[in-house]
């Protein structure tokens, strides 16, 4: 289904540019580490299509608004019915290396995304629409959000451990249990197909209508590589959006192992926010991953 992506080539220019195939450029922004669990679940295609239509309508106020489509036969992990598409939840801790020592350099967050989307009705899957990046409210707005293309949602509490996750917002909450098969590491190939894993490594993520660059305006943050690159982008390109996206790719130290995820409790707020629906959640695959990765920005995205 997916052609193998070309190896990353770093070009020697003032602003790092990563090339992956003809007509594909990503400007590298930030280095980070990740330690977390991903679980894939089935969502009715009608629900997904309504979300894609709403996203296109909201972004239509900007120049060249992006439009995404559900491919006819996307390859996905697990057993999907003809009326289903896949979504996935991430629970984990990111550490942005450019901000080490800052109050929120490391931050536990959850996220919900719709992967395997195309730029044309019959096009190959190459994009993900991130519905929400859910983090604990810190009261500190001056730190840049290095996941520049993701729509952030701040809630009262996010706790993530080796054994599970707790999300709380007012009287609403979600309790999740993990089982990570990391010692020894059990292969995920029987639940996550190789083509899908390749796509997840290189897909373009979008969701926010404008990049989250605001923290770089705070002089208290001091000099850092992320904001230095942001200033160059702003100088050369001005406002960016809504047709932009980010890519997150791993270095060779990435370690992916089998995992099991159980949703022990979830109230209506988190069911709606995380695309879990009112019916029992159909889990189709899970994995735990650790390693270094880079985040880059691509514009225009489509």
């Amino acid at each position: 289904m997916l052609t193998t992506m070309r190896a990353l080539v770093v070009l020697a220019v003032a602003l790092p540019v990563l090339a992956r195939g003809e007509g594909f450029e990503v400007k590298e922004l930030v280095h980070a580490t990740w330690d977390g669990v991903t679980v894939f679940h089935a969502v009715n295609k009608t629900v997904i299509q309504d979300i894609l239509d709403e996203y296109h309508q909201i972004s239509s106020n900007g120049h060249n608004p992006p439009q995404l489509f559900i491919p006819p036969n996307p390859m996905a992990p697990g057993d999907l019915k003809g009326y289903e598409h896949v979504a996935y939840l991430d629970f984990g801790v990111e550490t942005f290396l450019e901000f080490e020592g800052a109050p929120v350099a490391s931050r536990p967050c959850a996220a919900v995304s719709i992967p395997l989307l195309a730029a044309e009705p019959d096009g190959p899957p190459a994009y993900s629409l991130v519905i929400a990046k859910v983090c604990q409210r810190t009261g500190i707005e001056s730190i840049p959000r290095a996941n520049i293309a993701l729509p952030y949602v701040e809630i009262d509490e996010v706790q993530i451990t080796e054994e599970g996750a707790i999300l709380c917002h007012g009287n609403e909450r979600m309790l999740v249990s993990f089982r990570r098969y990391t010692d020894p590491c059990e292969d995920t190939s029987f639940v996550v197909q190789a083509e899908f894993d390749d796509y997840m490594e290189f897909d373009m993520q979008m969701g926010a209508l404008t990049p989250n660059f605001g923290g770089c305006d705070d002089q208290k943050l001091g000099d850092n590589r992320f904001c230095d690159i942001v200033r160059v982008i702003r100088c050369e390109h001005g406002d960016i959006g809504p047709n932009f996206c980010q890519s997150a790719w791993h270095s060779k130290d990435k370690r992916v192992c089998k995992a099991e995820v159980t949703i022990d409790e979830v109230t209506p707020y988190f069911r709606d926010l995380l695309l879990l629906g009112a019916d029992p959640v159909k889990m189709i695959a899970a994995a735990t991953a650790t390693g270094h990765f880079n985040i880059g920005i691509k514009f225009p995205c489509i």
Side-chain angles (χ1 to χ4, degrees), residues 162 179 225:
E162 284 290 314
R179 185 175 181 184
R225 179 180 174 279

Side-chain angles (χ1 to χ4, degrees), residues 23-285:
F24 185 97
E25 281 191 354
V26 175
K27 299 188 186 303
E28 182 184 323
L29 288 179
V30 67
H31 307 296
T33 63
W34 166 259
D35 182 359
V37 172
T38 299
V39 57
F40 304 94
H41 64 286
V43 180
N44 192 293
K45 283 184 178 178
T46 302
V47 174
I48 301 295
Q49 189 59 57
D50 288 344
I51 292 171
L52 298 182
D53 292 343
E54 181 180 6
Y55 175 72
H56 180 64
Q57 181 179 6
I58 293 173
S59 63
S60 293
N61 292 328
H63 176 66
N64 190 23
Q67 187 166 10
L68 297 171
F69 301 88
I70 304 172
N73 298 298
M75 176 101 42
D79 181 23
L80 287 179
K81 306 299 183 183
Y83 58 86
E84 293 174 331
H85 191 72
V86 67
Y88 68 93
L89 304 176
D90 281 326
F91 301 92
V93 178
E94 297 166 314
T95 300
F96 297 110
L97 305 183
E98 274 74 9
F99 309 128
E100 283 188 301
V104 290
S106 294
R107 198 175 189 186
C109 292
V112 56
S113 306
I114 304 169
L116 293 167
L117 300 175
E120 300 175 354
D122 296 322
Y127 304 92
S128 287
L129 181 64
V130 182
I131 306 304
K133 180 78 170 177
V134 184
C135 302
Q136 183 169 319
R137 184 180 293 110
T138 64
I140 302 171
E141 299 299 330
S142 61
I143 304 300
R145 292 167 170 172
N147 283 297
I148 48 85
L150 309 188
Y152 279 75
V153 175
E154 293 195 328
I155 63 174
D156 295 335
E157 181 182 1
V158 178
Q159 294 186 35
I160 298 175
T161 67
E162 284 290 314
E163 292 75 33
I166 300 173
L167 310 181
C168 296
H169 193 57
N171 295 325
E172 305 277 356
R173 69 176 186 167
M174 181 177 184
L175 306 179
V176 183
S177 298
F178 306 148
R179 185 175 181 184
R180 311 190 197 205
Y181 294 87
T182 56
D183 188 19
C185 179
E186 293 192 21
D187 185 27
T188 64
S189 59
F190 71 99
V191 290
V192 181
Q193 299 173 27
E195 294 89 346
F196 185 82
D197 191 51
D198 187 46
Y199 161 83
M200 294 298 292
E201 179 84 5
F202 292 102
D203 78 306
M204 297 288 100
Q205 302 170 334
M206 59 179 65
L209 299 182
T210 57
N212 291 304
F213 287 159
C216 289
D217 296 329
D218 192 331
Q219 299 300 317
K220 296 178 182 178
L221 188 63
D223 293 331
N224 63 81
R225 179 180 174 279
F226 175 80
C227 290
D228 289 344
I229 297 174
V230 165
R231 293 183 189 102
V232 174
I233 291 175
R234 282 175 161 173
C235 180
E236 293 182 353
H237 302 280
D239 294 334
I240 302 171
N243 190 6
F244 77 103
C245 51
Q246 74 175 42
S247 177
W249 60 94
H250 285 265
S251 59
K252 293 181 180 180
D253 72 342
K254 183 182 75 168
R255 187 169 186 253
V256 180
C257 306
K258 176 186 172 183
E260 293 178 358
V261 175
T262 302
I263 297 178
D264 301 311
E265 180 183 350
V266 58
T267 57
Y269 172 79
F270 289 108
R271 279 191 173 273
D272 292 343
L273 181 64
L274 302 179
L275 302 185
L276 298 175
D279 299 325
V281 180
K282 179 181 175 180
M283 304 282 195
I284 56 178

